[in-house]
Amino acid sequence: MSKTRPVLIVTAKLDTHADAVISELKARGQPFFRLNTDDFHTEYRTMLRSGDRSVTFEDIWGRSVRFPHDVHAIWHRKPVESNNPPGVKQRGTADMIQSETLELLNSLSCFHDRPWYNNPENNRVSQRKFPQLCLASELGFRVPRTLITNDPGEARRFAAQTQGGVLCKAMKEAGYSTPNGSYFIFSRRVGKDEFDAHADRIALCPTLLQEYIEKDYELRVTVIGDEVFACRLDSQADEAARIDWRMVSPDRIAHSMVTLDNKVEAALKAMMRRFGLRFGAFDLIVTPEGETVFLELNPNGQWYWIELTTGAPMASAMADLLQS
Amino acid sequence: MRQQTGSEPSSQNLAFVMLNARPVDMDVADAESEGYYDPMSQTWIAPLHAQISSTYSTHRTAGGATSSDTTHRRDD
């Protein structure tokens, strides 16, 4: 385990996951360098030098790190867009600065000679719902019968053939904003009458439709390196959480750590290998008949609330992985 | 679930998937039974709606919706 070279953590200022893992790293004497990308313009200087293929970050407190040479591993947690430099207000200028800054940060992912958790290029590919479903099926999982289409006629035919109703969810976006407000998009079971009334809208935007599969409970499985944390979420006890548990506070849903079936665990790890991931958070459901169904993979998913709820030592496992 | 159909001036142009949307910055008075999504903390815990604007605007994922998106703050 490294205790000499620092771990580079790329995230945002408000990140409780990073805070928890950093506490572990500090307790172990493991050096680290935290890059909060929101404060990029006010708290960091950076130099990318072709001569020695390096990226150096220095913060305003005099700390520095040279990537990849002096870095043990890099944890790509949850960076966000940088705030505008002080005084920059004009939209075009801000966009230009934002784009060039992002390009700089994206350059890090080209270096493969240090362990990434995860390389964002792998996250970008593996977050996509359609390839996830295809691979999960190939690996032996049952997956919901799925149609992604912008053809209302195909959608109507799909819905007509789907017993148990149609579930609609976004492929990527968690929400959107308009001048009138901001909106969060949940997964939702659409009733037949509503589907019939609005199916023409599918022509406006590719839409992911799935057969709705009844569940006994849900599983949130977080894989951190070789460690597997399977958390059972008893969402069906709360009417508001039955379709999408994010509709209610997690406090209202019973969480309990369980042991996964060996075959399920092996398949999840195989999926991560195929996507080049060392971290992943999976959403599965278990039907009343006991069958496990794959819903989706979140390659950079959230997990710390599970530790706080159940006591599962996930931050410690993450620190282990970063030091390995 | 609160649906957006008819609740926005442009509702006729809403895509099908946008019917799944739920407002997250409505007046507190409207938000009494609305919420949630937190898991630590990709935010929005209505009626603390001040948080959510940071999720969808100010605090956008680095890379946003561009083809070069490198990160996934929206990844649950």
Side-chain angles (χ1 to χ4, degrees):
Chain A
M1 285 195 173
S2 172
K3 284 201 176 181
T4 54
R5 289 186 301 179
V7 172
L8 174 58
I9 301 169
V10 184
T11 190
K13 183 168 260 178
L14 296 176
D15 180 1
T16 50
H17 291 64
D19 295 344
V21 174
I22 284 172
S23 292
E24 280 284 334
L25 295 175
K26 282 180 175 175
R28 301 174 185 196
Q30 170 65 49
F32 65 92
F33 185 93
R34 178 170 180 163
L35 173 63
N36 296 324
T37 56
D38 36 353
D39 291 333
F40 181 84
H41 297 295
T42 52
E43 296 189 357
Y44 300 91
R45 290 198 322 134
T46 187
M47 285 70 65
L48 279 64
R49 296 186 172 95
S50 61
D52 66 349
R53 297 176 61 248
S54 72
V55 181
T56 299
F57 294 103
E58 297 175 356
D59 69 21
I60 59 174
W61 297 278
R63 297 171 295 210
S64 67
V65 67
R66 190 175 64 131
F67 176 82
H69 309 67
D70 302 334
V71 166
H72 176 67
I74 179 166
W75 184 22
H76 187 88
R77 236 307 280 180
K78 295 277 182 178
V80 297
E81 288 183 351
S82 56
N83 296 323
N84 292 339
V88 172
K89 293 184 170 50
Q90 205 273 333
R91 175 70 185 271
T93 302
D95 287 350
M96 176 71 186
I97 292 169
Q98 186 67 250
S99 178
E100 289 291 285
T101 303
L102 181 63
E103 187 61 19
L104 180 151
L105 294 171
N106 279 341
S107 299
L108 273 65
S109 62
C110 301
F111 291 88
H112 297 282
D113 41 3
R114 289 291 181 272
W116 279 88
Y117 308 105
N118 294 314
N119 190 306
E121 297 298 331
N122 294 337
N123 284 349
R124 188 165 56 85
V125 172
S126 61
Q127 69 156 342
R128 301 211 156 101
K129 302 287 190 293
F130 185 62
Q132 287 178 9
L133 291 166
C134 295
L135 180 54
S137 180
E138 180 186 327
L139 292 170
F141 278 109
R142 178 183 175 188
V143 301
R145 200 166 63 88
T146 301
L147 173 69
I148 304 172
T149 186
N150 64 347
D151 183 328
E154 284 294 327
R156 285 195 167 92
R157 280 187 283 278
F158 178 83
Q161 296 164 1
T162 303
Q163 295 179 345
V166 170
L167 182 124
C168 177
K169 67 188 208 180
M171 283 185 279
K172 180 185 180 198
E173 294 299 324
Y176 65 98
S177 293
T178 72
N180 299 324
S182 296
Y183 301 88
F184 190 94
I185 294 183
F186 288 93
S187 300
R188 194 165 68 96
R189 189 179 190 175
V190 185
K192 183 179 184 308
D193 290 346
E194 186 190 353
F195 187 90
D196 290 342
H198 296 292
D200 286 346
R201 295 172 185 269
I202 288 170
L204 295 176
C205 177
T207 304
L208 191 158
L209 303 170
Q210 292 183 319
E211 65 171 324
Y212 183 76
I213 299 176
E214 295 288 348
K215 57 202 174 219
D216 190 26
Y217 58 90
E218 312 197 29
L219 290 171
R220 174 73 168 201
V221 183
T222 308
V223 182
I224 303 174
D226 295 324
E227 294 289 316
V228 176
F229 296 91
C231 183
R232 170 176 168 153
L233 304 173
D234 280 297
S235 58
Q236 301 307 284
D238 190 322
E239 185 62 34
R242 287 178 64 85
I243 309 296
D244 186 336
W245 61 263
R246 298 173 302 171
M247 293 285 289
V248 306
S249 166
D251 298 343
R252 284 169 49 178
I253 300 173
H255 290 57
S256 55
M257 301 308 292
V258 297
T259 302
L260 271 189
D261 175 88
N262 287 340
K263 283 176 63 177
V264 171
E265 180 175 324
L268 296 180
K269 287 183 172 177
M271 179 177 272
M272 289 178 58
R273 281 194 299 275
R274 291 278 286 272
F275 280 133
L277 306 176
R278 294 286 285 150
F279 172 93
F282 294 86
D283 291 327
L284 312 175
I285 58 174
V286 177
T287 69
E289 295 76 31
E291 184 177 20
T292 301
V293 179
F294 173 92
L295 295 185
E296 64 181 57
L297 160 64
N298 304 283
N300 200 13
Q302 302 290 89
W303 48 267
Y304 188 51
W305 95 92
I306 294 174
E307 170 162 336
L308 294 182
T309 305
T310 67
M314 301 169 83
S316 176
M318 194 71 223
D320 288 346
L321 180 62
L322 294 175
Q323 288 190 291
S324 65
Chain B
M1 171 180 296
R2 175 187 292 249
Q3 292 174 25
Q4 294 314 293
T5 313
S7 66
E8 282 191 83
S10 59
S11 64
Q12 292 304 312
N13 294 324
L14 285 179
F16 189 86
V17 66
M18 295 166 83
L19 300 178
N20 287 18
R22 188 167 181 174
V24 295
D25 56 356
M26 57 277 195
D27 293 341
V28 173
D30 294 336
E32 289 172 357
S33 62
E34 303 284 355
Y36 209 90
Y37 172 65
D38 171 41
M40 301 285 296
S41 180
Q42 303 216 281
T43 64
W44 172 40
I45 312 169
L48 301 179
H49 49 282
Q51 295 185 43
I52 198 58
S53 59
S54 69
T55 298
Y56 299 127
S57 52
T58 314
H59 237 170
R60 286 182 55 184
T61 302
T66 70
S67 59
S68 60
D69 63 335
T70 181
T71 61
H72 306 286
R73 188 167 184 90
R74 292 171 187 170
D75 184 349
D76 292 340

